[in-house]
Amino acid sequence: MKQAFKLAWKYIVYHKFKSLILVACVFLTALLPIAMQILLSQFNQKIVARADQTPAVVGARGSSLDLTLNAIHFKSGSAEPIKYAQVADLRERGAARAIPIHAVFTAQNYSVVGTTLEYFEFRDLTLARGTSFAMLGECVIGSKLAGSLQIDVGDYIISDRDNVLNLAGQAPLRLNVVGVLNESRSPDDFAVFVDVKTAWVIQGLGHGHQDLSDEDDQGGKVLSRTEDKIVASAAVESYIAITPENMESFHFHGDTAEFPITSIIAIADDEKSETILEGKYSDDPTLQFTKPSDDVRELMSLVFRVKRFFDANAILIAISTAMLLLLVLMLSLRLRAREMETMFKLGCSRGRILQLQLAEILIIVGVAAGLLCLAVWGLAIVSGDWVESILVNR
Amino acid sequence: MIEIEQLHFRYPRSDFHLQIEHLSVGSDGQAEKVAVVGPSGSGKTTLLNLIAGIVTPESGTIRVGDQNVDTMSDAQRRDFRSAKIGMVFQRFELVEYLNVLDNILLPFAINDSLGLESQNQNAAQLAKKLADSVGLQSKLRRRPNQLSQGEQQRVAICRALVTNPQLILADEPTGNLDPKNKRLILDLIFQQSEARNQTLIVVTHDTGILDGFDRVIDFDQFYVDGTRLQTAGDEVSS
């Protein structure tokens, strides 16, 4: 058999182009379903693990999956906002902890998550360097984001405008990076965390501008002034960065309890409390209580059902490729009939001729399998980050 | 060396019929150079295939040395062919993806009974020596398509000789060569087979190359050495 492999190898090397095409056929046919399986498996593992770490989420009625994806992967999607007052309400209804999530905006295409410091404790997120946000305009960034954008403590990141064509829309806000998180291999690595009040400033619900209390005309910037009301013109300068010097000027119009958030992570003391809590929301006409693990498992079960069609497709492709290879082999045998006949006349058995063919097939399949192993190895290395990155807003 | 008696051969689904009452080539350890001539379809190549055990007769006996080819199993005939017979073909039949050295060593690579694994070094040395003797020493790494027709036939001759067979069977070895190369190749075959005391049977259409053969068997005239086969006791008919 060793000699058969040597001869087969020489044949393959001589017919490089044909052999490469055959190797590519086998390699690509096998790669597609295997790569899909790896990616889907990684996706499933990560999304389920993240969901399992989040006991329950409260948000506006509608798609529970959208709500879950907003709360755990910061996807803004179509999640409707709820009032910030619901955080206090949730605590009153029996939740041990209620963590607000405001995930609507982005900064350089990374999600800006408005929340409280409790979130870091809940997710076991620790600082690699710097401090947590303490003031308006400060942010803590995920490790992958820091690496990707090459920013660190002391730098800043600017929030994206929601619509560049809307000049009257909210202005971008400069967010000062005060801390960088340790890597957690989760969507948190790709997020910009700010205090929920900073998120409201980005949304335009709070702002800072030059002081207009001075009795001077201020160059026509004050249109009218009464005892309790000053009407200013558009010429008044609004701040796009929050600094110690202008921080005092930042203020919110209205009651912050009425301000929006997109979801609340609800943590009950135990399973019983959680069930009671769920019951309290079951009849609520505007709010829903959902368990991310149930939503995500339902989603994945749908994904795996769809995957069966792809599996069937891959099997059909594999069969057609095998038939094509068989055809190539048969045509090759016909082309090599004289060579085989000569070998037979020189004392080669039909069995050895079969061995030669078998050795060629094994080498082709072996090389393809080797390449496949390399590809799978490479994919296994990069797929983790890749899956994490597609699970967050980018 | 070769004794054929009462041989009958017929190809399946064909009218072709070859009958040989008696044919003898070489004797008493004496090698012989025999030319087989005759028109196409007269059975010249079939005779070589019968002697080599590539096809088997319906009846009759074929003895090569002390072995009965007609009673051997398929595997025995293959091993016999590998070890005892060297074959040269009209169209050289070199393997395109092997270089000169690998083509010469092909019989070892395709038949384990020749024991290439244990004699690898010896076989390679012998192959190089043979290539050297036919002037191919500088072209061992070339592939057949990089050689002239004459060079390709020389490689084929080396391949036939590398197992040091008792018998060389050449089927139209000069059929694809120009006149100059015809003589050169034939002289080379004579020279190599004489040096090893090997019996040589050459099938040819070309009556212009018959000088130098010890005997000529004419399938057209049913004559051997100018004597009618029947009267000489050797009969070949088709």
Side-chain angles (χ1 to χ4, degrees):
Chain A
M1 197 66 187
K2 190 179 163 188
Q3 287 299 326
F5 271 103
K6 276 186 182 174
L7 284 178
W9 177 249
K10 283 173 180 170
Y11 176 82
I12 284 168
V13 169
Y14 184 73
H15 294 282
K16 289 183 206 79
F17 190 61
K18 177 188 138 190
S19 304
L20 276 175
I21 290 174
L22 291 177
V23 166
C25 279
V26 176
F27 170 71
L28 291 174
T29 305
L31 180 67
L32 192 68
I34 291 174
M36 196 175 193
Q37 181 60 43
I38 289 172
L39 289 174
L40 206 55
S41 160
Q42 287 262 12
F43 185 82
N44 182 50
Q45 190 188 336
K46 286 194 179 291
I47 199 168
V48 167
R50 178 81 166 172
D52 286 347
Q53 287 162 6
T54 314
V57 172
V58 171
R61 281 229 171 251
S63 163
S64 61
L65 182 62
D66 278 353
L67 178 60
T68 288
L69 291 178
N70 176 267
I72 68 176
H73 292 290
F74 318 130
K75 293 210 175 274
S76 52
S78 59
E80 289 294 318
I82 56 172
K83 290 175 184 172
Y84 183 63
Q86 297 301 338
V87 176
D89 182 58
L90 183 58
R91 288 199 187 100
E92 277 172 25
R93 291 194 200 204
R97 278 195 287 177
I99 304 168
I101 299 288
H102 182 291
V104 176
F105 298 104
T106 57
Q108 300 200 21
N109 287 329
Y110 290 91
S111 295
V112 175
V113 182
T115 186
T116 58
L117 294 177
E118 222 175 348
Y119 181 84
F120 300 116
E121 189 190 336
F122 166 64
R123 293 281 186 213
D124 285 331
L125 298 174
T126 53
L127 286 163
R129 50 199 174 272
T131 59
S132 291
F133 50 75
M135 298 187 341
L136 270 182
E138 288 183 344
C139 70
V140 170
I141 57 174
S143 61
K144 296 264 172 66
L145 183 153
S148 176
L149 296 182
Q150 296 285 303
I151 53 174
D152 213 320
V153 174
D155 297 329
Y156 61 86
I157 183 169
I158 296 173
S159 66
D160 301 328
R161 294 185 78 122
D162 63 340
N163 185 349
V164 290
L165 300 174
N166 180 10
L167 297 177
Q170 89 280 358
L173 184 69
R174 177 176 146 159
L175 301 167
N176 301 313
V177 179
V178 293
V180 177
L181 294 170
N182 280 311
E183 187 177 335
S184 61
R185 303 197 68 79
S186 73
D188 299 326
D189 291 338
F190 298 92
V192 180
F193 292 97
V194 295
D195 186 84
V196 71
K197 286 179 182 166
T198 303
W200 291 331
V201 173
I202 296 171
Q203 198 166 358
L205 299 172
H207 63 160
H209 49 73
Q210 65 187 101
D211 187 9
L212 301 173
S213 57
D214 196 341
E215 291 296 324
D216 291 345
D217 179 17
Q218 307 239 5
K221 288 175 185 169
V222 176
L223 298 176
S224 69
R225 187 189 301 271
T226 59
E227 207 164 286
D228 57 348
K229 193 175 176 185
I230 299 170
V231 179
S233 76
V236 174
E237 185 190 344
S238 287
Y239 301 125
I240 58 160
I242 304 171
T243 60
E245 292 75 36
N246 67 18
M247 183 164 296
E248 287 299 314
S249 74
F250 272 83
H251 55 277
F252 295 96
H253 294 277
D255 180 5
T256 55
E258 297 292 312
F259 283 3
I261 52 173
T262 50
S263 53
I264 311 168
I265 294 174
I267 303 134
D269 280 330
D270 49 37
E271 205 170 325
K272 185 182 166 191
S273 310
E274 190 178 286
T275 309
I276 293 169
L277 202 55
E278 189 176 5
K280 286 179 178 171
Y281 279 96
S282 61
D283 293 331
D284 195 305
T286 56
L287 298 171
Q288 65 171 321
F289 179 98
T290 188
K291 291 180 179 173
S293 57
D294 293 346
D295 294 326
V296 163
R297 281 189 170 80
E298 198 180 320
L299 169 73
M300 290 316 292
S301 115
L302 178 69
V303 170
F304 280 112
R305 276 204 297 277
V306 172
K307 183 180 169 283
R308 280 187 213 154
F309 289 102
F310 286 98
D311 288 344
N313 186 41
I315 290 168
L316 287 176
I317 290 172
I319 290 171
S320 58
T321 306
M323 287 167 73
L324 209 66
L325 291 178
L326 191 67
L327 182 69
V328 170
L329 186 70
M330 285 164 66
L331 290 173
S332 168
L333 277 177
R334 182 173 285 189
L335 285 172
R336 296 173 69 187
R338 285 177 67 87
E339 177 195 328
M340 300 301 166
E341 189 58 28
T342 303
M343 286 192 178
F344 176 69
K345 284 180 177 175
L346 294 177
C348 184
S349 65
R350 301 284 182 202
R352 172 53 69 89
I353 288 172
L354 198 69
Q355 276 182 9
L356 275 172
Q357 296 299 318
L358 197 64
E360 279 169 29
I361 294 170
L362 285 176
I363 291 172
I364 297 278
V365 173
V367 172
L371 289 174
L372 197 63
C373 287
L374 278 176
V376 166
W377 177 67
L379 193 64
I381 290 173
V382 300
S383 65
D385 287 349
W386 196 15
V387 167
E388 275 164 20
S389 69
I390 59 172
L391 278 171
V392 295
N393 268 337
R394 293 192 68 176
Chain B
M1 174 70 195
I2 301 170
E3 292 287 338
I4 297 175
E5 298 286 349
Q6 302 297 325
L7 182 125
H8 289 263
F9 175 79
R10 192 187 299 272
Y11 282 112
R13 296 179 294 280
S14 164
D15 293 337
F16 178 83
H17 179 225
L18 179 68
Q19 187 176 327
I20 301 175
E21 292 296 321
H22 173 78
L23 180 64
S24 156
V25 177
S27 58
D28 303 329
Q30 193 63 44
E32 198 177 5
K33 297 193 290 290
V34 176
V36 180
V37 296
S40 297
S42 60
K44 303 184 299 294
T45 300
T46 303
L47 175 65
L48 295 191
N49 287 344
L50 282 161
I51 294 170
I54 293 167
V55 292
T56 49
E58 282 181 352
S59 62
T61 58
I62 305 167
R63 285 185 65 79
V64 176
D66 55 355
Q67 290 178 289
N68 258 346
V69 180
D70 52 283
T71 57
M72 288 177 182
S73 66
D74 284 352
Q76 285 171 328
R77 283 206 307 276
R78 278 198 311 271
D79 293 345
F80 157 78
R81 203 154 60 236
S82 288
K84 307 285 183 181
I85 293 177
M87 299 193 80
V88 181
F89 308 98
Q90 179 180 355
R91 289 165 68 177
F92 327 131
E93 307 300 355
L94 299 177
V95 178
E96 60 170 351
Y97 54 88
L98 298 180
N99 62 29
V100 167
L101 187 61
D102 289 335
N103 260 295
I104 296 173
L105 286 168
L106 185 64
F108 291 99
I110 58 177
N111 194 321
D112 293 332
S113 69
L114 292 174
L116 178 65
E117 294 307 320
S118 57
Q119 300 174 16
N120 201 353
Q121 202 61 31
N122 290 341
Q125 278 174 0
L126 179 60
K128 283 177 187 168
K129 205 170 155 186
L130 277 169
D132 194 21
S133 69
V134 299
L136 290 171
Q137 65 276 15
S138 61
K139 299 180 176 176
L140 290 176
R141 299 288 159 200
R142 292 200 185 171
R143 291 219 168 80
N145 60 6
Q146 296 169 308
L147 301 174
S148 69
Q149 301 245 304
E151 286 171 333
Q152 288 185 48
Q153 192 60 302
R154 277 187 266 166
V155 176
I157 291 166
C158 291
R159 183 179 66 190
L161 295 170
V162 76
T163 56
N164 200 19
Q166 292 175 356
L167 180 61
I168 306 288
L169 302 178
D171 191 358
E172 302 275 8
T174 58
N176 267 21
L177 301 175
D178 58 62
K180 186 186 165 197
N181 266 314
K182 270 183 192 175
R183 198 64 251 174
L184 282 172
I185 290 296
L186 209 58
D187 287 345
L188 187 66
I189 295 174
F190 284 170
Q191 179 196 333
Q192 296 290 342
S193 61
E194 277 168 12
R196 292 170 175 77
N197 194 32
Q198 291 159 328
T199 292
L200 171 70
I201 301 179
V202 175
V203 161
T204 182
H205 271 107
D206 191 349
T207 50
I209 60 162
L210 298 179
D211 294 346
F213 284 97
D214 299 326
R215 268 206 298 168
V216 175
I217 298 174
D218 188 340
F219 268 42
D220 190 23
Q221 302 295 321
F222 307 135
Y223 279 76
V224 173
D225 296 340
T227 308
R228 255 190 92 76
L229 287 170
Q230 206 130 19
T231 55
D234 294 352
E235 186 179 27
V236 179
S237 64
S238 62

